[in-house]
Amino acid sequence: MTNESIGRLAPWLTALACIILWWLIIVAFGIKSFILPTPWETMKALYTYRGPLFTNGMATLLTTLLGFGIAVGVGLILGILVGSSRLAYQALYPLLVAFNSVPKAALVPIFVIWFGTGTVPAVVTAFMLSFFPVVANVATAFATIEPELLEVMRSLGASQRDMTIKIGIPRSLPYFFASLKIAITLAFVGSVIAEIVAGNNGIGNVMLVAGSNFNVPLVFAALFVVGAMGAGMYAIFDVLERRLTSWSVRGASMAQHATGG
């Protein structure tokens, strides 16, 4: 079996090992289902409540993607602006770090006052949690471009726009896709938090109702749905990263081979 095949099987084998460990812990300590359901009870809840889980899962997915999409657009533009100017980097980056340090769950009640309950607080919370990784990674990519390379471009008559398009954006792609894979998982967290606090639907609302009824298998089934959606979106961005930034992977492999690594 090749290393590539092992790499593809590794996540599934790890997941299977975790499920077996989960089941063994329940059997060994005699844990009741209203505290910790078995994997079988969770799968049974997935099937029994498949209709509500699908409907609410789609609602969570849509609000997450909407907030995430806005975060990517705003974060990309702001990251380019901050990373392209040393003054802007020094002036704005500390403020962005301070903004990211604010607990977003504490802001959800404020969003409810401003926007009411429902979809909007979930979209805003998803945006706020997924915004910073995009800005930080893109700004770092632009801020770490070698000065010598920029000087060569200027000596050839390149404008700031040319350097952004021909150097900055290609250079930032690996950073950008790395930020997307982080940001999409955080966006799901933001949506579910807002749905628990102020949602009328969505997976977070399902978890809230199920928890109040002590239907813990349904809570775990809802968690499984969120995890599956997050893993699916992560996989999509991973494929896009491999296709659009394969040059960086090849470059790293060649450098490692040249140095005997």
Side-chain angles (χ1 to χ4, degrees):
M1 185 177 291
T2 63
N3 290 334
E4 184 177 356
S5 300
I6 295 175
R8 290 177 179 177
L9 288 175
W12 299 100
L13 295 176
T14 304
L16 179 61
C18 290
I19 292 173
I20 294 174
L21 179 62
W22 172 9
W23 180 77
L24 288 175
I25 289 174
I26 293 174
V27 172
F29 294 97
I31 302 174
K32 303 299 182 182
S33 62
F34 66 88
I35 298 176
L36 179 63
T38 64
W40 168 249
E41 289 170 328
T42 301
M43 293 300 106
K44 185 178 178 180
L46 273 171
Y47 179 78
T48 302
Y49 300 99
R50 60 190 181 279
L53 286 172
F54 177 80
T55 302
N56 288 279
M58 288 298 100
T60 297
L61 180 62
L62 289 175
T63 56
T64 299
L65 292 180
L66 182 56
F68 172 74
I70 298 172
V72 170
V74 175
L76 183 60
I77 294 172
L78 187 58
I80 292 174
L81 293 176
V82 171
S84 299
S85 169
R86 181 177 296 274
L87 179 60
Y89 191 92
Q90 293 174 342
L92 295 178
Y93 200 81
L95 297 179
L96 294 172
V97 172
F99 169 80
N100 188 60
S101 302
V102 175
K104 308 305 182 295
L107 298 177
V108 176
I110 298 177
F111 298 152
V112 174
I113 296 173
W114 291 350
F115 308 113
T117 59
T119 302
V120 177
V123 173
V124 175
T125 309
F127 163 79
M128 294 187 68
L129 261 77
S130 57
F131 169 75
F132 182 75
V134 179
V135 176
N137 278 270
V138 173
T140 300
F142 273 79
T144 54
I145 296 175
E146 294 81 357
E148 297 82 3
L149 183 58
L150 297 178
E151 289 297 328
V152 171
M153 291 293 292
R154 290 192 186 97
S155 67
L156 296 175
S159 63
Q160 183 64 41
R161 179 174 176 272
D162 293 330
M163 289 187 288
T164 298
I165 295 175
K166 297 180 179 180
I167 296 178
I169 292 179
R171 168 70 176 271
S172 68
L173 282 179
Y175 293 82
F176 177 62
F177 278 105
S179 72
L180 293 185
K181 292 189 287 187
I182 298 172
I184 188 60
T185 57
L186 293 176
F188 276 107
V189 172
S191 291
V192 173
I193 289 174
E195 288 167 354
I196 292 175
V197 176
N200 299 322
N201 57 9
I203 290 296
N205 187 255
V206 171
M207 294 172 61
L208 179 65
V209 174
S212 64
N213 294 324
F214 294 95
N215 191 349
V216 182
L218 179 55
V219 175
F220 273 72
L223 290 172
F224 179 86
V225 171
V226 176
M229 290 191 297
M233 294 304 302
Y234 183 98
I236 290 173
F237 290 129
D238 186 59
V239 171
L240 290 175
E241 180 183 21
R242 291 175 184 274
R243 290 183 178 273
L244 298 178
T245 64
S246 57
W247 52 267
S248 65
V249 176
R250 286 199 300 268
S253 299
M254 291 174 63
Q256 184 179 17
H257 179 72
T259 56

